[in-house]
């Protein structure tokens, strides 16, 4: 394993390759490594700890391998990410996992994901779409897509068969209503009617 704060604030670090012998990345292991532009995560890593790569502002792309099952709180917060690939074994995306990644325009959520925690993609201001490859996660925190792009949409990319279609649709209705409720609450907080137009822009798209 790579221990907690192992490379914390090593601003001169530009590239890291995590070997297959590593199974976990600890809390704040690479937090604040602002010069880091390239990260390769080995295929034996199963967990990425809280704030593991937070504030690595030079990092523009990340591939989370299929071995990873959980992404910790604030693991990739406040990065310059334009590309994220989430492996197909991830079940949990932690609170604030990708918040503040303002260059990210699209995210694909694999069908293995069952939980997305509070504000996971909060303040990703240019995020226009979340593409779900399976059913909507049953455990969804508050404000997961709050303060994303005004034309943000949820896209569902799955073949619906038999009785599965009804349950899947119900789960996405729940997710959609949660996002709508967040927007309404925001409207109340800001005391303006202008944000009602943003509510109308949230919609579900079946590919």
């Amino acid at each position: 394993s790579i221990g907690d704060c192992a490379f914390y604030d090593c601003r001169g670090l530009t590239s890291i390759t995590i070997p297959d012998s590593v199974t976990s990345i600890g809390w704040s292991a690479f937090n604040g490594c602002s010069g880091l532009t390239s990260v390769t995560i080995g295929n034996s890593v199963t967990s990425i700890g809280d704030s593991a790569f937070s504030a690595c502002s030079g990092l523009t792309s990340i591939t989370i391998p299929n071995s990873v099952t959980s992404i910790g709180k604030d693991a990739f917060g406040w990065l310059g990410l334009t590309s994220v690939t989430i492996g197909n074994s991830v079940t949990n995306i932690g609170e604030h996992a990708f918040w503040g990644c303002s260059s990210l325009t699209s995210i694909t959520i694999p069908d293995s994901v069952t939980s997305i925690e509070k504000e996971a993609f909060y303040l990703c201001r240019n995020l226009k779409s979340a593409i779900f490859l399976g059913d909507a996660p049953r455990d969804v925190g508050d404000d997961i897509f709050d303060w994303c792009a005004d034309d943000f949409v949820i896209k569902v990319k799955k073949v619906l068969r038999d009785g599965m279609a009804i349950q899947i649709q119900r789960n996405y209705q729940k997710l959609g209503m949660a996002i709508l409720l967040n927007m309404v609450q925001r409207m109340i907080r800001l005391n303006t009617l202008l944000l009602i137009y943003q509510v109308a822009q949230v919609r579900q798209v079946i590919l």
Side-chain angles (χ1 to χ4, degrees):
S1 65
I2 297 177
D4 296 347
C5 300
F7 297 92
Y8 181 84
D9 207 30
C10 291
R11 300 180 186 182
L13 186 65
T14 59
S15 177
I16 186 73
T17 298
I18 299 171
D20 289 345
S21 57
V22 173
T23 58
S24 65
I25 301 172
W27 168 72
S28 289
F30 298 94
N31 190 334
C33 296
S34 55
L36 196 59
T37 58
S38 174
V39 171
T40 302
I41 301 174
N43 292 320
S44 296
V45 172
T46 59
S47 64
I48 299 174
D50 295 352
S51 303
F53 295 94
S54 182
C56 294
S57 54
L59 198 58
T60 58
S61 67
I62 192 72
T63 297
I64 299 168
N66 291 335
S67 56
V68 173
T69 59
S70 65
I71 300 172
K73 178 180 179 180
D74 192 28
F76 298 98
W78 303 102
L79 273 61
L81 292 174
T82 58
S83 173
V84 174
T85 301
I86 300 176
N88 58 22
S89 295
V90 171
T91 59
N92 179 72
I93 298 175
E95 180 179 339
H96 297 155
F98 294 94
W99 73 329
C101 294
S102 58
S103 297
L104 194 62
T105 59
S106 179
I107 188 72
T108 298
I109 309 295
D111 60 5
S112 57
V113 173
T114 58
S115 172
I116 302 178
E117 295 184 22
K118 178 182 177 181
E119 297 178 349
F121 298 94
Y122 184 79
L123 279 175
C124 294
R125 293 187 178 274
N126 290 300
L127 188 64
K128 294 178 179 292
S129 65
I131 303 168
F132 286 81
L133 299 184
D135 198 356
R138 294 179 181 275
D139 185 7
V140 177
D142 294 336
D143 303 324
I144 58 171
F145 294 116
D146 208 14
W147 292 104
C148 291
D150 289 342
D151 54 351
F152 173 81
V153 296
I154 296 171
K155 298 183 179 181
V156 185
K157 191 173 184 179
K158 181 169 182 175
V159 177
L160 308 182
R161 296 188 180 92
D162 306 325
M164 288 286 292
I166 296 175
Q167 185 60 46
I168 288 171
Q169 289 170 357
R170 283 176 181 169
N171 288 345
Y172 275 105
Q173 286 170 1
K174 179 181 177 182
L175 177 59
M177 286 304 295
I179 294 172
L180 287 172
L181 179 59
N182 291 337
M183 288 187 171
V184 170
Q185 290 172 340
R186 186 202 312 170
M187 179 185 67
I188 294 171
R189 289 196 301 267
L190 296 179
N191 194 26
T192 174
L193 293 176
L194 293 178
L195 289 177
I196 197 68
Y197 293 105
Q198 291 183 333
V199 176
Q201 290 173 341
V202 176
R203 58 193 181 276
Q204 297 179 31
V205 179
I206 304 296
L207 296 183

